[in-house]
Amino acid sequence: MTTVGDFGEYTGVSGIITLDGVALADVQYDVKWKRATVSHSRGGKHSDINIPGKLTVTTKIKKALVYADAAKVLGYSLTDTPIAGTAETLLSASHVLDGTDNYEDMTDDTIASLSRVRYTLATKAITTGGTITVIGEDADGNAISEIITVPAPASIGATWTTTRLFKKVYGHTIRGIDSADDLGTFTVASIAGSATYTVGDPKIFDLVGSIPKGETNIMITQPDCWFSEGGIAWEDAGKVIDVECPVEMRDPDTLNVTVS
């Protein structure tokens, strides 16, 4: 009976994968390489002659969708440079919320970068709900709008944020919202920190898969990679949302496998 805890075999519990030096959580890593066979027929023989040909590398990452990694596995396949949004005050105080319908312009209608827009209840609680129609433009100058539903009751400090991204916000129409003493107001601002990915050149990164076990280690290094596919699909509450990210290498000759 052995007294050594390490039998030498590796299992999936040992695997770690890093993207540009940062470990990904809850991940599976599948990398394979294949040497093509080049064949040529020949006379006087019953078979072709074979010689080794091109090397191809096939890599796929499959992982549970984790918030900390979402930007990488969803955004990197679309573009190298995300749009982070800009925090700007668009309107410091809206028209008072007195139950009437009204339209008003923003004080600042142009945002430095594509951003979501947030409404914050600044004064007096909301007693009757209604809607806000936000009117503006997208990054390409196309007219866009979004309707935000504001429920009642709502306390001072409550916020509502658009799902669409605006480059310009001309104004809004507030319908049906009433507040205590008819003195409630909104502040309107664009928000930073919500990274947005639009189509462009993909992010290029270094991928390292390692299987450490005590003092021994198997490490596979793949420089200059990118995600060749991206997307998301979910089913029901009984399943974790998985994302699959096939990876391409610029130069398979730079693949490095170290066993130490």
Side-chain angles (χ1 to χ4, degrees), residues 88 90 106-113 167-170 190:
E88 296 182 19
L90 306 179
M106 296 292 115
T107 303
D108 176 7
D109 63 8
T110 302
I111 307 170
S113 63
K167 187 64 173 66
K168 290 186 176 182
V169 180
Y170 297 132
S190 57

Side-chain angles (χ1 to χ4, degrees), residues 93-212:
S94 70
H95 186 278
V96 292
L97 308 174
D98 58 4
T100 62
D101 299 344
N102 65 83
Y103 170 85
E104 63 185 328
D105 292 325
M106 296 292 115
T107 303
D108 176 7
D109 63 8
T110 302
I111 307 170
S113 63
L114 206 60
S115 305
R116 296 170 71 195
V117 177
R118 176 168 293 166
Y119 282 72
T120 302
L121 185 59
T123 58
K124 298 292 183 177
I126 289 175
T127 55
T128 302
T131 62
I132 306 167
T133 302
V134 187
I135 303 165
E137 290 184 5
D138 64 14
D140 297 320
N142 300 311
I144 60 171
S145 63
E146 181 171 343
I147 298 175
I148 298 173
T149 300
V150 178
S155 302
I156 294 174
T159 61
W160 299 267
T161 306
T162 64
T163 57
R164 302 193 72 171
L165 298 157
F166 289 80
K167 187 64 173 66
K168 290 186 176 182
V169 180
Y170 297 132
H172 59 217
T173 299
I174 298 176
R175 297 184 183 277
I177 302 175
D178 201 356
S179 61
D181 303 321
D182 292 340
L183 294 176
T185 57
F186 290 119
T187 59
V188 186
S190 57
I191 61 174
S194 54
T196 302
Y197 294 83
T198 55
V199 176
D201 292 329
K203 172 73 173 178
I204 306 300
F205 53 83
D206 292 341
L207 194 64
V208 177
S210 62
I211 313 176

Side-chain angles (χ1 to χ4, degrees), residues 57 59 221-226 247-252 254-255:
V57 178
T59 308
T221 303
Q222 298 176 253
D224 296 335
C225 297
W226 65 91
V247 176
E248 291 288 345
M249 288 183 67
R250 178 181 182 274
D251 184 359
T254 61
L255 177 72

